[in-house]
Structures are given as structure tokens and as C-alpha cells.
Amino acid sequence: MSTSPQLPAVAPSVTAELVEALSPRLRKRLDAGVAKLAGRPVVRDGDTVRIAIDDDTDLELHAPGSVVTSADAVRCGCLLAPDCLHRAAAASAAPVAEDVQAAPAGAAEDARAQSSAGPAAAGEAAQPPSPPASEPRPDSPSPGQLGAARAVFEAAAAVLEAGTDGAGAVLQAELLRAAHTARLAGLPRAASAAVTVVTGVRAARSADPAYRLPDLVAALRTVLGVAHRLPGAAGAELVELRGTVRQPYTPDASLRLYGLFSEPVLTATGYAGAVTWTADAEGRLYTVSDVAPGGAGRAIGAADRTVRIGDTALTHRELSRAGLAVSGATVSPTGRLGAGAGVRAVRASGVDWRGEPLDRLWAVPVAEQVRRALGDGPHDLLFLDVTLTGTVREATGDCLLADCEGLALRLAAAHDDPALPHRQNLRLLAAARGSRLRVIARLAPGPLPRALLLAAEHPSQPGVRVDLGLDRLQRADLPASAVPPAAVPVPDEAPLHLLRRRVHHAVSGGRRVLAFPGGAAGDPARLRRTGFTTGAAVLDELHTTAADRTRDAFGRLLPADTPRFARAWLAAACYTGEVERDLCATAWGFRSGSDLDGS
């Protein structure tokens, strides 16, 4: 089943309502109906999108503001309407919109700009406000929130049990209904994560090149974790689990900002654009974003759009190398600049990365930068001085290998979409072995020092920098003394991958792939031999719950204990994430403070 970018976004509650209205017979045919609809012609006329079902029948989606907000806005001309399959298939094929009312100006951008900081942030970004609900007690979840959390957990557990291969439109609609219920109950974090899971499942089922299994694993871990923890939460933990519907903007007087770099944003939820990072004289980072519904073309073109701050005519590409003077500025807690009516901005001069005040970003010790990125810091960017030394092959492609203060650092492509130049630029930089460059990268937690390369100094032109997701290097840009990349042997990693791959396999193939007898008989023993005793116990429990199927008095298999399997998977996913965090801290030269096993 594929998601069509030509269709307008549909609110989760609308999709859930249309699917629920189908008869059992039509529900069995829904996935086939979605696949068939994906190949039909689509025509947009203002706020109306028409799909030609056949030569005589059209299906219309009325989408003011490019969002379908009610089931009545989906109309079909076939003889079986409104109880036909076509309406539910269209909603299931369309991108998932933010639920209920439209967002205030800039709110959607705020949410998607945060998604550029990593997969976890995408599932927990600020959301548009939901209708008023009864005010919950601050020290405990309300009955409505408990019920909503239970519904989210059960729906997400059903998706996990089926895996991406088996989680068709019906299971997706159940999770979207639970997400809508959670939003109405005042649980925007759970609702947002549930929607992220659905969009990830759709991307997996349609073989979307932008799909990344680790992102879906992270989103599923978030939604199950929030729903599981909420009943026993109180105080600050409860506030965190509930989440917030939007990021508050606070006045920040006047700002003098210096451009750092721009990066494209291209999400699995159908949003695209660009985010430009800037810094003030004290080294605090601020972002200016232009993110809206769209695909790779919008992500590339957004760099040449005018920034939405005041009356300035600067584009994102120009701002990344220039400066900005802002008065009446408003800033979110994540550093995103607001674009309110009272904000004034004019172009100012920029500075080189090696000049003040930007030079101080690279003066911070690497270990301190990584500690901040792994903690609760406002961003996960790293400012590094590296020497390119070669390449190393990984399962997802070649990584650039660099020396960073004695660490063998892997620099990977920040995005794999072929429309973006990340990977091509990485291959060209690999040929500049021996070059010493300043780079900006995003930390990629793991057992080896690894980061996603975002921007770098030009390999042959001092003072020039390259936004690796927007600018395309040419072979002529390489220094005349460029040395061909050298292949570097891959060092042995901690055997945590034995558990990680089972966590990932469950998301892709569902419970059944872990239920095969003897599927991983030696993995727990290997984990115990290397000191991961808790990891071995977690893996044993995961396989036990996957294979545990009881029978009734007549020998017939009873339904599997889906919640138990989901809890076992959640324990394995959380354990893996925490150990990887600890291993990452150790790899970069410091301890994170966690104490898992003896590792």
C-alpha cells in the first residue's frame, strides 16, 4: 500500500471513521483497493482533488487548506456510495494530516523543523491545538487519559504483532483512531507518535526510498513507552509523557545572528523544506525554517525561498553564509525564531567559520559536545575539526572515515533520498583523503563514534563552505593533490547487534518472525559471554512471548497475548537504546553515567 503525495492530507479521525464504516467483506478488500486507487489519475482544482475511479465515476476530496477534516468532504459518484470502498481507500492512500483544527501560522513548520533533529524528535514535535478537554489533575492522569493510553497501546501492539508486512489499512486506521482519542484526552505526545508510526508503516509498505527502519522502531518505542508508563506517572514525568500541543514563543528583544548552514527537510509524513541554522555572539543556536507539505522537489527548492522573518529578502541559502539583525524577536524553547507581525529583520554581514564569534563553537571539547547531544541539550549538532582518512563500508553504504582528535570517526550521509546530494557529496569528499576540514554533523548514537555529515568547509577553497544536502560538489572541486579513498577494515563491535536486529525484525515481520524454533538459539549465550546478561534475559523473554501460543480443550490455537509481546519488545527496544547510548558515550571518550550490566 502506497501513500500518494498528490492527494491532500487527511485527518486521522476521518480515515478511522471511513474504515470503521466498511462492512467486514469490504475491509478484507481495502488494501487491494488502496493499491488500485494509487494508479488512477488525480486532478486538483482549487480546494478540490478529483480521482478518476473509471471512465464514468469520480471521487472527490474537498480539502480547504490542503487538509480533509471531515468524512463528508470525501464524496464518491459510484452506485454504492457512501458505503463504498473508494472513500476509505482514498483516505488510506493520502498522507496523514495533523488532527482536528488547523494549526496556527508557523505551527506545522515548528513541528517539522524539529524533525530535522532526529527521528525521536519527529514523533514528539509540537502539534496544533486540540479541542478543550477537562482539565486533568496535575498529579495523576485522568480517567479519559488512562483509557486513551490503553487504546493507543493496544492499537500499537497490534501493529507490532503484524509487522509492517501485515499492518494493512485496517490496523493503521485503528491506530489513527487511538491517536485521535489521545489528542482529545490531552495526550499530544502519544497522538503524535502514533501518527508517526502509521506514516512509517505506509512508507515501508510502499518501498518509499525515504523509509528508514530505525526511525519506525524509534517511533514505535515512543508510542508504546508513553502509553505503558502513563498510568503510573506523576509530577514532572506525567507532564513529560502528556506532551505539549505547541511550542511557546517568548520575546527575546534584539538578536545579532550569524549564518552557519542550511539543511533540507524531507519527512516520511509528507513535509519538506529547509532549515537554516544561525548562532549569536554567545554561541546559542537559532533556526529559521520553511517546511510545508511537499516532496523532494520542495526540499531542494526551499533553499532559494525568502526566509520568513520580518521584511528581509534573504533566501535560506544566502542566510546560511550571511547574517541577520532581528528586533522584536520571539523564540521557542528549541531556538526556532518566530515570524510574528512585530518581528523586524534586516540583512547583516556574516563571518567565516574560523572567525569570531563562530570559531568558539569548534573550541568546545568534543566530549563535552557529545555529552550535551546525548543529554537534554537544545540540539544534537557537533562542530568538529577532522582529517579525512578513507572510507569504511557499512550495510547502508560507504561512510567517510576521519580522524577527530585521535578518534576514528565515521561520517555518514544525513539522508538517503537520491534527489538530495548527500551521498554523492560524501563519495567525492572521500577522494580528498588527507584534507583537514571543519565540519558540522549530527550525532548518530551507536557503539562507534559516528555522525551524520551536514556541512563542511570546501576541500579546495579556503573560507568557502558547502551545505552537503543542498550544494553539489564536482570532481573539479577536489584539491589537485587528492588521494583516492582507502578502504579501512571494519573493527569488531559489541554484540549488541544480536538484540538490535531482533528488535528490528519484529517491526518488519511481526511476532511470527521471532516465533520460529531455534531462530536465535545461540544469541543469548553469546550476549552472556560478553557480559550482557540483562540483554540475554531480555532476548529470551522476547522469543518466549513470541512463541507462546496456548490451545483450547479441542487443541485449537488461542489468540496470542499481544500486550505481553509488546511489553517484551518494548523492554528489548529500551534496553538496546540505553546500552547504545552508554556505548556511544564510551566510544567518544567519556561515561554517560548509566550502569547497564558491566558494559
Side-chain angles (χ1 to χ4, degrees):
M1 183 184 73
S2 61
T3 298
S4 173
Q6 297 175 292
L7 298 179
V10 177
S13 57
V14 174
T15 304
E17 180 180 346
L18 292 174
V19 172
E20 186 179 35
L22 294 177
S23 65
R25 179 179 63 86
L26 290 180
R27 287 191 182 194
K28 294 178 181 179
R29 297 169 51 191
L30 181 55
D31 289 331
V34 172
K36 183 178 179 180
L37 199 69
R40 304 305 300 167
V42 178
V43 177
R44 183 180 291 270
D45 181 12
D47 290 337
T48 301
V49 176
R50 293 185 179 86
I51 307 172
I53 302 299
D54 54 39
D55 293 339
D56 302 316
T57 306
D58 285 345
L59 184 144
E60 293 185 351
L61 295 90
H62 184 58
S66 298
V67 177
V68 176
T69 57
S70 71
D72 293 338
V74 184
R75 299 183 290 268
C76 183
C78 75
L79 295 177
L80 297 179
D83 300 322
C84 63
L85 181 69
H86 304 133
R87 298 171 71 221
S92 299
V96 183
E98 305 298 353
D99 209 351
V100 295
Q101 303 172 357
E109 293 177 18
D110 200 14
R112 302 305 159 190
Q114 290 187 51
S115 73
S116 67
E124 302 171 17
Q127 303 296 332
S130 50
S134 57
E135 187 67 24
R137 292 170 52 198
D139 58 341
S140 64
S142 68
Q145 290 177 338
L146 292 175
R150 183 166 54 253
V152 167
F153 187 90
E154 291 174 354
V159 169
L160 173 65
E161 170 147 354
T164 57
D165 296 339
V170 174
L171 287 180
Q172 295 170 28
E174 290 298 325
L175 186 52
L176 291 178
R177 174 174 292 281
H180 178 62
T181 302
R183 186 175 301 283
L184 294 179
L187 300 176
R189 184 180 177 190
S192 176
V195 169
T196 302
V197 169
V198 172
T199 55
V201 169
R202 290 183 178 181
R205 291 172 64 84
S206 63
D208 188 332
Y211 167 70
R212 294 186 68 253
L213 177 57
D215 291 351
L216 179 56
V217 170
L220 198 53
R221 183 179 68 185
T222 297
V223 69
L224 287 172
V226 169
H228 176 70
R229 292 167 54 199
L230 189 130
E237 182 187 14
L238 180 58
V239 172
E240 176 197 354
L241 294 176
R242 284 173 176 155
T244 55
V245 293
R246 62 181 297 185
Q247 288 288 319
Y249 283 78
T250 56
D252 205 351
S254 299
L255 296 172
R256 175 64 168 92
L257 303 176
Y258 303 87
L260 278 168
F261 74 102
S262 290
E263 63 172 321
V265 175
L266 185 59
T267 75
T269 55
Y271 284 80
V275 173
T276 298
W277 292 79
T278 65
D280 64 12
E282 284 70 44
R284 182 184 175 188
L285 301 189
Y286 299 81
T287 59
V288 181
S289 66
D290 179 2
V291 183
R298 193 183 194 285
I300 297 171
D304 295 314
R305 293 175 179 266
T306 303
V307 298
R308 299 180 181 179
I309 298 291
D311 298 325
T312 178
L314 277 173
T315 65
H316 283 268
R317 194 184 301 274
E318 292 170 336
L319 176 59
S320 68
R321 292 158 175 81
L324 202 64
V326 186
S327 62
T330 57
V331 185
S332 78
T334 58
R336 184 181 185 274
L337 291 173
V343 179
R344 299 289 182 269
V346 296
R347 180 173 186 155
S349 60
V351 297
D352 184 76
W353 281 357
R354 296 183 181 271
E356 287 292 339
L358 298 185
D359 180 70
R360 67 182 59 187
L361 296 171
W362 278 266
V364 179
V366 174
E368 183 178 334
Q369 294 189 51
V370 175
R371 189 190 306 274
R372 177 188 60 202
L374 285 174
D376 297 325
H379 63 83
D380 55 359
L381 299 184
L382 303 178
F383 300 87
L384 309 172
D385 287 295
V386 302
T387 301
L388 306 184
T389 58
T391 59
V392 61
R393 183 170 296 279
E394 294 185 342
T396 56
D398 287 350
C399 280
L400 192 60
L401 202 62
D403 177 82
C404 178
E405 298 185 7
L407 289 173
L409 171 64
R410 299 180 181 209
L411 295 171
H415 209 295
D416 287 325
D417 193 290
L420 301 177
H422 287 289
R423 194 159 291 284
Q424 173 191 336
N425 287 334
L426 204 71
R427 283 195 294 265
L428 283 172
L429 285 176
R433 186 156 59 100
S435 299
R436 181 163 180 80
L437 305 173
R438 280 196 163 174
V439 303
I440 301 176
R442 176 168 287 121
L443 178 67
L448 296 172
R450 195 168 184 272
L452 307 179
L453 191 57
L454 301 171
E457 290 180 322
H458 196 283
S460 61
Q461 299 179 28
V464 177
R465 57 222 199 207
V466 181
D467 296 335
L468 295 170
L470 299 171
D471 305 324
R472 290 187 181 273
L473 288 170
Q474 306 296 326
R475 192 160 296 278
D477 293 319
L478 300 179
S481 58
V483 181
V488 177
V490 179
D492 292 334
E493 296 185 21
L496 192 64
H497 67 275
L498 300 174
L499 181 57
R500 185 196 309 116
R501 71 184 180 187
R502 296 300 171 185
V503 169
H504 288 196
H505 285 170
V507 174
S508 294
R511 181 191 56 79
R512 63 186 180 276
V513 302
L514 301 183
F516 299 129
D523 290 351
R526 185 177 174 188
L527 285 169
R528 288 188 180 91
R529 285 197 302 270
T530 53
F532 290 94
T533 54
T534 303
V538 166
L539 183 56
D540 279 333
E541 175 65 10
L542 183 60
H543 279 286
T544 298
T545 56
D548 185 15
R549 295 292 302 275
T550 56
R551 297 178 182 270
D552 62 14
F554 300 99
R556 295 172 299 193
L557 278 174
L558 295 174
D561 189 346
T562 300
R564 181 189 173 197
F565 174 68
R567 289 191 294 270
W569 180 89
L570 179 61
C574 290
Y575 174 85
T576 303
E578 288 302 314
V579 174
E580 284 183 335
R581 177 189 178 92
D582 193 65
L583 291 173
C584 178
T586 303
W588 285 90
F590 70 95
R591 298 292 295 177
S592 68
S594 60
D595 185 19
L596 298 170
D597 293 330
S599 55

